[in-house]
Amino acid sequence: MGFFNFFTKELAIDLGTANTLIVYEGEIVVDSPSIVAKDLKTGKIIAVGKEAAMMQGKEHKGISIIRPLKDGVIADFEASEQMIQEFIRQIPALKKSFFTPKLKMVICIPSGITEVEKRAVRDSAEKVNASEVYLIPEPMAAAIGMGIDITKPQGNMVIDIGGGTTEIAVISLGGIHVEKSVKIAGDVFNDDIAYYMRAKHNLIVGERTAEKIKINVGSAVDELSNPPEDYPVRGRDVITGKPKEVIVSYNEIAKALDKSLVRIESAIMETLSKTAPELSADIYKGGLFLAGGGSLLRGLDKRISEATGLPVHVAEDPLRAVIRGTGMVINNFEKLKVALDQ
Ligand SMILES: Nc1ncnc2c1ncn2[C@@H]1O[C@H](COP(=O)(O)OP(=O)(O)OP(=O)(O)O)[C@@H](O)[C@H]1O
Ligand SMILES: [Mg+2]
C-alpha cells in the first residue's frame, strides 16, 4: 500500500433488494435487510437493517417503513443513500477513525439495469464519500463467489435468484455472453403465497408472515423426500375480520409458487437457446450454478435440473455468494477487473 492510498479504504457492497452486505478488509461487516424506518414528522431515519425489519407491518402512522430497492434497482434514492450511509457509519473499524476516509467501492448491480439506474447507484456512492466507484454485474460476482474462474475460455451458466430479480447469465473469458433478468424472485414468491392464503384459506397475511411461510414450508416441488412439518399461519380472516390460524403444508406452497417457477424455467430455457454451441457444450458438462437466497427454496435445484436435463449445483451459503465474489474483485483487482461493468 503506497503512501497516497493510505487514507483510502476499500469496500465491497452487495446492495440487494432484500439484503445489503458489505465487505471491509476481507470480512463481512454488514449483513442486514435493506430496510429503513423513518419518522414522518422529523424526516429522520430512526432505524435501519434488522431493527427496521422488526418494525415492518407493526408501525404506527408516524413511522414509515421503506424498502429503498425494488426489483433490484433503487426505487427511493433518498432512503437508499441514508441506508448505505448508516450501514457504513456502523462499521466498527471505520467508527474508530478520526476522519472520514476516502472510499474505493466495488458495488454489485443487476445485469439488466439501465445507464440511468447505474448513474443513480454511482451518485449514491459518491454522496457517501466514495472517491472511486466500480460496478460489477450480479451474476458475474456470483460466479466469482462460487469459485468459478471467469477468465477461462469456458462457458458457465449462473442463475442468481434474489429478492427482486432472477439473473441468468452465461459467462466466458471474463465477460457475459448472454444474459436475462426477470423480475420474478423472492418478493414475488411472497406475493404468490399471500395471494394463495387469501384465495384458498380466506386468510390475509402480511409480508413478514408470507416470508416465514416460505422459509418454513416453501417448496418448488409437490413431493419432497425430506418434507418439512406443516406450519401454523396466523392472520386476519377475510370475512369475519377476526384473527385466525390455519395449518399449511409444503405441497400447498409448491402449488402457490408454480406459476412463478414456470416463468423462471422459461427464462433459463430461453437463455440456453441463445447460447453459442461451443459454450452449450461446456454447460452440458458443467451444469448450472445457482446462487442467491431464492436458491434455498426446497427442491428448486431438482426442479430446474429436471426441466433442463442438466446437473444443478447450489452455491455454498448462497445468500453470500455475490458479496464473496464482489470482495474477491477488490482483493484481486488486476486479475478480476475484466469482470467489472465497462
Ligand atoms: N430458506 C429460504 N427459502 C426460500 N427463500 C429464501 C430462503 N432464505 C432466504 N430466502 C429468500 O431469498 C431472498 C433474498 O436473497 P438475496 O439476499 O440473494 O436477495 P438480494 O440480493 O437482496 O436481492 P436482488 O439480488 O434481487 O436485489 C429473499 O426473498 C428471501 O425471502
Ligand atoms: Mg442479490
Side-chain angles (χ1 to χ4, degrees):
M1 187 189 286
F3 179 76
F4 290 107
N5 55 19
F6 185 73
F7 298 109
T8 304
K9 302 288 181 194
E10 296 172 334
L11 290 182
I13 304 184
D14 171 10
L15 188 59
T17 307
N19 300 297
T20 296
L21 292 90
I22 302 181
V23 159
Y24 174 71
E25 290 181 339
E27 263 180 63
I28 296 178
V29 288
V30 173
D31 181 352
S32 282
S34 307
I35 304 185
V36 173
K38 207 178 206 172
D39 183 320
L40 286 175
K41 232 193 224 151
T42 63
K44 284 215 174 96
I45 299 289
I46 48 174
V48 295
K50 293 183 187 96
E51 211 186 321
M54 306 263 282
M55 301 177 180
Q56 202 184 15
K58 302 194 177 184
E59 65 272 24
H60 58 70
K61 279 188 214 134
I63 300 177
S64 164
I65 305 287
I66 307 163
R67 290 187 51 191
L69 288 107
K70 200 174 173 341
D71 301 333
V73 296
I74 299 177
D76 183 330
F77 297 104
E78 200 192 337
S80 132
E81 260 163 46
Q82 287 169 324
M83 184 179 77
I84 302 173
Q85 208 154 26
E86 197 46 47
F87 282 146
I88 292 177
R89 228 199 318 258
Q90 287 174 5
I91 298 173
L94 287 179
K95 251 191 202 163
K96 277 191 240 139
S97 64
F98 294 114
F99 54 92
T100 323
K102 285 278 173 209
L103 301 170
K104 171 179 172 180
M105 292 186 191
V106 178
I107 307 174
C108 169
I109 49 162
S111 58
I113 75 172
T114 63
E115 288 304 317
V116 175
E117 288 163 342
K118 282 181 203 168
R119 188 69 250 162
V121 175
R122 282 183 187 279
D123 284 351
S124 293
E126 277 156 17
K127 285 212 183 120
V128 293
N129 222 24
S131 52
E132 279 175 78
V133 182
Y134 302 95
L135 305 179
I136 179 166
E138 191 160 20
M140 195 62 109
I144 297 169
M146 279 189 272
I148 295 171
D149 185 352
I150 52 128
T151 59
K152 282 211 292 200
Q154 184 183 328
N156 283 294
M157 180 178 270
V158 173
I159 303 162
D160 176 84
I161 307 171
T165 54
T166 292
E167 312 253 318
I168 305 157
V170 175
I171 293 164
S172 172
L173 289 170
I176 291 180
H177 169 67
V178 270
E179 67 191 305
K180 183 150 182 81
S181 173
V182 287
K183 293 182 167 100
I184 309 241
D187 284 346
V188 171
F189 298 163
N190 291 353
D191 291 346
D192 291 341
I193 291 172
Y195 178 81
Y196 174 86
M197 293 307 295
R198 193 187 173 121
K200 184 79 188 176
H201 295 289
N202 285 331
L203 189 72
I204 303 180
V205 297
E207 203 179 319
R208 279 182 69 191
T209 298
E211 167 91 13
K212 280 192 199 148
I213 299 173
K214 181 175 68 180
I215 307 283
N216 284 283
V217 274
S219 175
V221 289
D222 54 17
E223 245 178 75
L224 285 170
S225 51
N226 198 3
E229 271 179 38
D230 292 353
Y231 184 67
V233 179
R234 294 165 205 122
R236 192 176 82 221
D237 189 284
V238 178
I239 299 153
T240 66
K242 285 194 289 192
K244 94 168 174 187
E245 180 183 278
V246 299
I247 308 291
V248 292
S249 63
Y250 79 88
N251 21 28
E252 284 184 82
I253 305 308
K255 230 178 270 149
L257 299 180
D258 188 58
K259 240 193 216 156
S260 294
L261 296 172
V262 166
R263 290 180 65 186
I264 291 179
E265 280 165 2
S266 328
I268 296 172
M269 299 307 281
E270 193 188 320
T271 317
L272 284 170
S273 73
K274 288 187 180 151
T275 303
E278 291 298 338
L279 298 175
S280 293
D282 293 340
I283 294 167
Y284 181 81
K285 223 170 93 199
L288 311 177
F289 293 86
L290 249 56
S295 66
L296 288 166
L297 190 68
R298 292 174 189 79
L300 185 59
D301 49 348
K302 189 170 157 240
R303 180 170 171 149
I304 294 177
S305 178
E306 271 167 19
T308 57
L310 296 167
V312 171
H313 318 280
V314 180
E316 193 188 324
D317 199 359
L319 283 156
R320 290 180 162 196
V322 166
I323 192 64
R324 264 200 311 269
T326 314
M328 283 159 78
V329 173
I330 287 216
N331 277 342
N332 299 292
F333 200 73
E334 283 314 307
K335 179 180 178 200
L336 294 176
K337 69 182 181 200
V338 284
L340 296 171
D341 182 70
Q342 306 300 332

